Amino acid sequence: MRLVPIVLVISALECMRGVTVSPACKCISYESSHTKVGYFTSPNFSQPYPDGIHCLLYTFVGEKDEMVELTLLEFDLQAPFHDSCDDAVTMYLDLKQPAVNEYTKPDAVLCGSIYNIPSVHYYSTKNILMFEFKSDDIRSNNTGFQGEFKFLKQDLFSTNGDLVSNTNCDYIIDSKGKLRRGKFFSPGYPSFNKMKSIHCKYTFAGSHNQRVKLYFKKVTLKGTESSCISSRDKILVHDGDSIESAVIAEYCDTESLVEVFSTGSNMLVQLFAKTIKSTEGFEASYEFIDDSIYPSSELSSTEPDREGGSTDLGSPSVVDCDRIIRSVNQAGQPTVSGNFTSPNYPNPYPANIQCRYTFIGKGRERVQIKFADFDLYHPTKESEDCVDVDIVEISTIINGESADVDDFCGKAESQMVMSSGAKLTVTFMSFGALNGATRDNRGFLGQYNFVTNFGIETGEMANDSACGFIYNSSVTKSGTFNSPNYPGRYPRNTECHFMFYGFPEEQVRIAFTYFDIEGIYPCLGNTESDYVEFSNFRASVDRKLPRYCGGNKPRVQISDGQFFRVTFKSNSMFDATGFDAKYQFIDVSNADETHAPSSSGRNKEKSRHKHNKGRSTTVQTPPSSAADETHAPSSSGRNKEKSRHKHTRGRSTTVQTPPSSAADETHAPSSSGRNKEKSRHKHNKGRSTTVQSNINNQQASDSSAKTSGGGGSPSSTSSNGICLSCTCIFMCMQVSWCFFASSFIILAASIVVIDIVVSSRSSYRHVFLICSKLISIKKSYCSI
């Protein structure tokens, strides 16, 4: 029902019995006693709103136990000018009474288009919400705004639990005598909370035969382009009731529809936030689940599944072959690993069937899949992208949605595949044989593992991170570490930290033997790049060290002191093979020249970064060793890999093959894996390999310049000076907004610059000074 607002023109300082921002304010009032849901608009919507609106106040008043929700459906005001909004909507969300004046602090000021405002949803902290609309005296063609309001019960957003005494937001949620399921929220959600340095704890306590399932419907925190370890706003989920319990999930940005399962009967959620603004925080639900309701994982491959059935693809005989395999069976016993097969394996499988194998882990567990035997029917003429042939598809859950990970057909030799969370699905589909051909293919034998170490066999797992590994010099002086699931492709939406702790007189040396991280240099968030970064600090960004991605190995990294951190982060979109690296703790007091730079070298490195605080000066250079030469993929590898990234079209990357030296054979994938990797990104057309090549060439050029220390040979300096002078010409022409004669004068003067550089080998500084002077003369000349 569309509500007709009550419009009051007043000359006194009253609006809904409250104080307004101006005696001349017009008031539009909405009360829940009239309707719980309605619409509001700017004057004349959807025609341009009038100019000269000095104060139009919209007031929404609900019952004491209600709150107000506003949703902006359309929004089109005059664009801001110099970060100032002349036409604006000013929101007041935290009011105890329907009154505002010039001293009332607004919670949001909105202008521009709907794409310029931070959110389309706004909520009151109590039962009152007000906003002011104003326009300047300049006529515009902007149409204004239209929105929907609702009066909601406040208890819809109250946590189902017992608030701990003398705390603001610590709750204990017990399954004994309480609801087995409920909801919990961040403080003030979905509006905001004025507490500073928020730290809330939600403790879930189930009985001995129960597990806790959490479902984060929505998480919105102050996202950071860096990893969660350096974010002050984050959510930590512990697999137990203590902060000492292992962290099994961590969120610091925007997430939705995420499930987390405890290993035992208890779970702890911690929220850290500096402040929570409107629409920030989280909304989640919980459920205590009895282990006895889980079906056994030991279902026969031809036995009907109790949680689903197979799909008939046309055959008159239906084979029920769906399976659900959990890491804990009905008896509460762990099923860490096992096998799963196609129907009738090793005998031929039926045509026209679909089988779904669903793997569900708990806690930190990830599902790892590898096929020990794979033989599916494939027509004589090879099919592109495994289309219209018998196929195995593997998918995982990312942000509540199914995402394709890989698919296999024919006689594929699969590498290991890992889930992004605790759940993974394998779907097997067979089709009718072509031209009456009969099948004699035996199908597949798959192996599954529920792993908690992300496929990383070295180091000690840290309890304060979902994927964290500690390497202590007191345990071993050298070793290796790798990306998750290496040499298989790393899982998406994953963040791992490798912490190296040496003795006070030691430094940490990191060298990569293989590197293939999906992304485009400089590996920033706006390029949707995965990355590896380094830091001399445990929980903050080291700005003098750049990120690395793509196929070029980072140079050898030496820590400043006894501690060093390596962070790997993948996004939800793409994946690659990852990395393999070696570490070594170096005794600085008696450094081996073959492994560590001399003290003078270290001093030079420290000096080189002295004047570059706040910016990255280290340049990633492409590998130059002969061992890094690539090998042509085999035809079978190409055909197999054509389908491998059909879900990542829109991206093309340069892939570095692993080194072929004997020394690294134990750490690098086999040659067949290398051949497959070269064709792995064949269809990712949105990412240009030419761009990456240009970047590499630029990095090599920059690296060469750095080596020369800014001087270099005369010929090198002259050629670079010529390039800069040409740039100078372009700069001069760009400020040429007057007549042609002046441009001709500056062009001639710039050519003289080239002659000066070539003859006298002037420095870059001199060239730029001359350029600046020419531009200054140009501007002065044009202003006459």
Side-chain angles (χ1 to χ4, degrees):
M1 181 181 79
R2 188 178 180 89
L3 180 68
V4 179
I6 306 169
V7 181
L8 303 174
V9 180
I10 61 174
S11 56
L13 296 180
E14 289 191 359
C15 181
M16 284 294 298
R17 300 175 304 280
V19 182
T20 70
V21 293
S22 167
C25 276
K26 294 181 180 181
C27 291
I28 303 177
S29 304
Y30 304 87
E31 295 188 60
S32 65
S33 58
H34 294 114
T35 183
K36 300 297 183 184
V37 180
Y39 295 89
F40 60 93
T41 66
S42 56
N44 298 341
F45 186 85
S46 59
Q47 300 298 317
Y49 54 81
D51 57 282
I53 299 177
H54 299 295
C55 178
L56 180 59
L57 201 61
Y58 293 72
T59 304
F60 304 83
V61 180
E63 302 295 335
K64 291 295 184 182
D65 61 345
E66 292 180 331
M67 63 187 303
V68 186
E69 177 193 79
L70 296 188
T71 302
L72 296 173
L73 305 175
E74 297 186 51
F75 195 87
D76 178 31
L77 300 188
Q78 190 179 101
F81 182 72
H82 291 305
D83 296 328
S84 176
C85 297
D86 294 325
D87 295 0
V89 166
T90 304
M91 292 279 184
Y92 301 92
L93 307 177
D94 186 33
L95 300 174
K96 294 181 179 179
Q97 57 182 346
V100 293
N101 56 36
E102 65 270 25
Y103 302 108
T104 307
K105 184 178 178 181
D107 298 300
V109 178
L110 314 178
C111 60
S113 73
I114 198 167
Y115 304 105
N116 301 126
I117 60 179
S119 176
V120 297
H121 299 287
Y122 293 90
Y123 298 85
S124 65
T125 58
K126 301 176 180 64
N127 65 319
I128 300 168
L129 186 151
M130 300 176 73
F131 73 82
E132 176 198 5
F133 173 52
K134 67 174 184 177
S135 64
D136 60 18
D137 295 327
I138 301 175
R139 184 73 176 175
S140 72
N141 292 322
N142 302 93
T143 57
F145 55 82
Q146 179 186 33
E148 180 184 29
F149 69 86
K150 293 181 181 179
F151 293 101
L152 306 175
K153 292 293 186 181
Q154 294 181 14
D155 59 11
L156 288 175
F157 300 99
S158 60
T159 296
N160 302 129
D162 297 324
L163 181 64
V164 178
S165 58
N166 300 321
T167 68
N168 291 317
C169 55
D170 289 358
Y171 289 87
I172 294 179
I173 302 170
D174 193 341
S175 67
K176 298 177 181 178
K178 300 286 184 179
L179 294 175
R180 296 174 60 92
R181 63 184 65 186
K183 296 181 179 181
F184 65 106
F185 305 89
S186 57
Y189 187 89
S191 187
F192 64 92
N193 193 285
K194 290 189 173 181
M195 291 191 301
K196 302 293 184 181
S197 300
I198 297 170
H199 181 200
C200 303
K201 298 178 183 178
Y202 306 82
T203 304
F204 300 88
S207 59
H208 71 280
N209 64 335
Q210 290 180 328
R211 287 168 55 199
V212 185
K213 171 188 173 182
L214 300 184
Y215 181 75
F216 287 92
K217 183 178 180 181
K218 184 179 180 181
V219 175
T220 307
L221 297 177
K222 291 180 182 177
T224 173
E225 195 180 57
S226 302
S227 61
C228 284
I229 199 171
S230 57
S231 175
R232 288 184 292 182
D233 294 3
K234 67 178 71 176
I235 295 172
L236 299 180
V237 182
H238 297 265
D239 195 14
D241 57 4
S242 167
I243 60 174
E244 303 299 327
S245 303
V247 174
I248 57 176
E250 188 172 9
Y251 311 112
C252 61
D253 200 343
T254 300
E255 305 282 347
S256 60
L257 309 178
V258 180
E259 285 184 341
V260 185
F261 292 87
S262 68
T263 300
S265 57
N266 299 323
M267 187 176 281
L268 171 66
V269 175
Q270 290 194 92
L271 168 67
F272 300 89
K274 185 178 180 181
T275 57
I276 294 181
K277 294 184 179 179
S278 181
T279 71
E280 290 181 347
F282 71 83
E283 174 184 359
S285 62
Y286 66 87
E287 183 178 1
F288 294 99
I289 304 174
D290 292 336
D291 282 335
S292 59
I293 70 171
Y294 293 152
S296 172
S297 64
E298 301 302 323
L299 293 177
S300 167
S301 61
T302 57
E303 180 182 347
D305 179 24
R306 280 171 274 178
E307 295 193 20
S310 65
T311 301
D312 182 9
L313 301 184
S315 172
S317 59
V318 177
V319 177
D320 292 322
C321 53
D322 286 2
R323 294 182 63 189
I324 294 180
I325 302 173
R326 300 180 185 269
S327 60
V328 176
N329 62 20
Q330 186 175 4
Q333 300 299 318
T335 55
V336 177
S337 61
N339 298 330
F340 64 103
T341 66
S342 54
N344 301 334
Y345 179 86
N347 297 315
Y349 56 84
N352 297 314
I353 64 169
Q354 175 172 308
C355 302
R356 183 174 288 107
Y357 308 81
T358 303
F359 301 86
I360 302 175
K362 62 185 185 304
R364 277 179 174 169
E365 290 177 343
R366 297 296 184 267
V367 187
Q368 198 172 43
I369 297 292
K370 184 176 177 62
F371 292 100
D373 186 21
F374 198 90
D375 176 29
L376 300 188
Y377 172 77
H378 202 289
T380 303
K381 183 179 179 180
E382 293 186 353
S383 175
E384 295 285 335
D385 293 339
C386 288
V387 175
D388 296 329
V389 296
D390 297 354
I391 188 173
V392 168
E393 296 179 337
I394 301 179
S395 61
T396 188
I397 301 297
I398 298 178
N399 286 336
E401 297 181 355
S402 178
D404 293 338
V405 176
D406 216 334
D407 49 35
F408 305 99
C409 58
K411 299 181 184 296
E413 294 180 6
S414 71
Q415 289 189 343
M416 290 183 295
V417 176
M418 180 175 286
S419 63
S420 296
K423 188 175 181 180
L424 182 139
T425 300
V426 177
T427 303
F428 167 50
M429 292 181 289
S430 69
F431 297 87
L434 299 177
N435 301 323
T438 59
R439 273 186 180 77
D440 57 2
N441 305 82
R442 58 185 177 274
F444 62 82
L445 168 62
Q447 299 172 339
Y448 67 86
N449 287 279
F450 291 99
V451 299
T452 59
N453 64 357
F454 292 81
I456 301 169
E457 302 292 343
T458 60
E460 176 188 354
M461 285 205 73
N463 272 346
D464 59 353
S465 176
C467 179
F469 296 84
I470 297 173
Y471 299 84
N472 274 305
S473 175
S474 59
V475 177
T476 180
K477 295 296 183 183
S478 63
T480 64
F481 66 102
N482 53 265
S483 55
N485 197 46
Y486 183 85
R489 287 152 59 195
Y490 54 74
R492 298 177 219 165
N493 224 26
T494 298
E495 180 177 314
C496 294
H497 306 283
F498 306 87
M499 308 285 191
F500 298 88
Y501 294 89
F503 289 109
E505 68 277 6
E506 290 181 332
Q507 289 179 310
V508 186
R509 181 183 188 271
I510 304 293
F512 288 83
T513 58
Y514 177 75
F515 195 85
D516 174 24
I517 303 297
E518 212 288 329
I520 293 178
Y521 190 83
C523 319
L524 300 178
N526 58 4
T527 62
E528 300 293 349
S529 294
D530 305 334
Y531 63 83
V532 168
E533 71 177 9
F534 308 98
S535 179
N536 287 284
F537 314 104
R538 191 191 181 283
S540 60
V541 176
D542 198 335
R543 299 191 181 280
K544 69 176 181 292
L545 298 177
R547 292 177 178 177
Y548 290 86
C549 61
N552 296 321
K553 288 188 294 186
R555 69 173 192 168
V556 173
Q557 301 290 321
I558 304 290
S559 67
D560 290 346
Q562 67 190 86
F563 173 81
F564 202 56
R565 170 171 59 87
V566 179
T567 292
F568 162 79
K569 187 171 183 178
S570 64
N571 58 35
S572 61
M573 298 182 65
F574 305 106
D575 49 33
T577 306
F579 68 82
D580 188 38
K582 299 177 181 179
Y583 69 89
Q584 181 182 7
F585 293 99
I586 304 169
D587 188 346
V588 180
S589 62
N590 186 23
D592 185 346
E593 292 183 359
T594 61
H595 298 295
S598 64
S599 59
S600 61
R602 287 193 297 272
N603 293 334
K604 285 174 66 178
E605 284 294 310
K606 293 178 181 178
S607 174
R608 188 166 67 85
H609 287 289
K610 183 177 181 181
H611 299 289
N612 294 296
K613 294 179 180 178
R615 55 182 266 182
S616 172
T617 57
T618 306
V619 180
Q620 178 185 2
T621 58
S624 57
S625 63
D628 291 333
E629 292 179 359
T630 58
H631 305 279
S634 64
S635 59
S636 61
R638 287 193 299 270
N639 293 330
K640 174 184 166 187
E641 292 300 321
K642 285 176 182 176
S643 65
R644 193 169 184 186
H645 276 268
K646 69 179 181 179
H647 55 281
T648 59
R649 290 188 178 95
R651 170 97 51 146
S652 175
T653 57
T654 302
V655 178
Q656 175 195 355
T657 59
S660 56
S661 62
D664 293 329
E665 285 181 359
T666 58
H667 306 294
S670 65
S671 60
S672 61
R674 291 195 296 270
N675 293 336
K676 290 189 294 182
E677 286 303 314
K678 286 200 66 180
S679 61
R680 185 165 62 78
H681 288 280
K682 182 176 182 180
H683 297 285
N684 303 331
K685 298 176 182 177
R687 249 193 201 177
S688 170
T689 56
T690 303
V691 173
Q692 184 66 45
S693 176
N694 292 340
I695 291 169
N696 295 339
N697 293 337
Q698 181 63 45
Q699 292 164 351
S701 174
D702 292 346
S703 179
S704 176
K706 281 179 178 287
T707 304
S708 66
S713 64
S715 60
S716 172
T717 305
S718 299
S719 62
N720 287 334
I722 292 171
C723 290
L724 286 169
S725 300
C726 293
T727 303
C728 177
I729 296 172
F730 177 74
M731 292 165 59
C732 294
M733 296 296 289
Q734 285 232 326
V735 296
S736 237
W737 300 110
C738 54
F739 45 88
F740 173 78
S742 63
S743 297
F744 179 81
I745 293 171
I746 301 303
L747 179 62
S750 299
I751 294 173
V752 173
V753 174
I754 296 178
D755 183 68
I756 293 172
V757 171
V758 173
S759 60
S760 63
R761 303 185 180 94
S762 299
S763 67
Y764 300 157
R765 173 178 170 79
H766 293 159
V767 173
F768 278 118
L769 286 174
I770 295 171
C771 279
S772 300
K773 188 63 176 176
L774 288 173
I775 292 173
S776 176
I777 295 171
K778 168 70 175 174
K779 290 181 178 178
S780 299
Y781 184 74
C782 289
S783 64
I784 296 175

